[in-house]
Amino acid sequence: DIQMTQSPSSLSASVGDRVSITCRASQNISSYLNWYQQRPMKPPELLIFVASSLQSGVPSRFSGSGSGTDFTLTISGLQPADFATYYCQQSYSTPFTFGPGTKVDIK
Amino acid sequence: EVQLVESGGGLVQPGRSLRLSCTGSGFTFGDYVMNWVRQAPGKGLEWVGFIRSKANGGTTEYAASVKGRFTISRDDSKSIAYLQMNSLKTEDTAIYYCTRNYANQYWGQGTLVTVSS
């Protein structure tokens, strides 16, 4: 199975900050990497698919990059609605494993 | 508008069975792979499995933690995907979400399954 790790596990930031979250796969997953945002008590929402494609309706301050084993989610100009937990997931091969999550909270 | 609505959750004793349903609307249900993802209380996301569209064989894949106990099926005439859960364990306690596409493009609100004696 492909293992997914994320760093950091949590971070504190201020409104307007630029934030980056890293996701690493235990083997090459090409660009089959998705990013999700989950606000408290809500279902997750897809932000980015195939590493860098922005899901329709998602603000352009979210961007994704990377391929192979190393990926990054960047939020340029953090907004109050962005304080949430972020998960990566590989959809290269089953089981489609998720990363453990990165919690972004207010500094 | 794409909508997914899960139902069928509740409290069940260990060893018993439960069937969840996921009703889709706003899209041609039969054209899409449908997934189940779960989240234990206070924990992260865990992929449970999926069922491919009939055009792609209608086959299923499962996580090792549920393989042999859980079965995913679909009734495209009713736009419903099912998750049949047998031999339930306390560690199956979670919110169960259904999603559409391999990239989980759309999510339902989830249904809570509590396995406890």
Side-chain angles (χ1 to χ4, degrees):
Chain A
D1 296 0
I2 298 173
Q3 310 303 317
M4 306 300 293
T5 57
Q6 288 182 234
S7 61
S9 57
S10 65
L11 66 90
S12 295
S14 300
V15 172
D17 284 353
R18 178 184 173 94
V19 167
S20 291
I21 299 168
T22 297
C23 177
R24 177 163 290 173
S26 61
Q27 63 188 74
N28 186 350
I29 58 169
S30 184
S31 295
Y32 291 94
L33 190 283
N34 312 305
W35 289 99
Y36 306 90
Q37 177 193 67
Q38 187 176 30
R39 299 188 180 101
M41 307 304 292
K42 295 291 187 182
E45 296 181 2
L46 177 66
L47 297 174
I48 302 283
F49 59 99
V50 292
S52 60
S53 294
L54 193 67
Q55 166 69 351
S56 175
V58 173
S60 58
R61 63 180 179 273
F62 291 92
S63 64
S65 64
S67 66
T69 60
D70 293 320
F71 302 86
T72 302
L73 173 70
T74 300
I75 310 172
S76 301
L78 204 61
Q79 297 299 302
D82 302 337
F83 293 97
T85 300
Y86 295 84
Y87 295 93
C88 62
Q89 184 211 20
Q90 63 85 15
S91 52
Y92 178 79
S93 69
T94 58
F96 286 171
T97 38
F98 286 89
T102 295
K103 185 175 182 180
V104 177
D105 61 22
I106 301 173
K107 183 184 287 184
Chain B
E1 179 193 6
V2 171
Q3 286 196 319
L4 298 170
V5 179
E6 302 92 340
S7 59
L11 175 63
V12 60
Q13 293 179 326
R16 304 297 291 265
S17 299
L18 202 62
R19 188 178 79 162
L20 306 183
S21 299
C22 167
T23 303
S25 60
F27 64 102
T28 304
F29 189 86
D31 287 351
Y32 292 91
V33 61
M34 298 300 297
N35 305 272
W36 288 93
V37 175
R38 69 183 181 182
Q39 187 169 36
K43 302 296 185 182
L45 301 170
E46 180 186 15
W47 175 79
V48 172
F50 64 64
I51 185 165
R52 294 180 178 89
S53 65
K54 290 283 197 305
N56 287 291
T59 51
T60 54
E61 302 282 349
Y62 300 96
S65 58
V66 306
K67 196 169 185 178
R69 298 188 300 124
F70 289 12
T71 302
I72 300 172
S73 60
R74 63 191 301 156
D75 184 340
D76 293 340
S77 69
K78 297 180 180 178
S79 299
I80 299 177
Y82 299 101
L83 179 63
Q84 177 68 44
M85 304 185 293
N86 299 332
S87 303
L88 281 161
K89 305 176 181 180
T90 55
E91 53 263 41
D92 295 319
T93 293
I95 296 172
Y96 285 74
Y97 297 102
C98 71
T99 77
R100 195 194 86 172
N101 294 16
Y102 291 122
N104 305 304
Q105 184 180 18
Y106 295 97
W107 296 65
Q109 290 299 306
T111 188
L112 176 62
V113 173
T114 303
V115 184
S116 174
S117 55

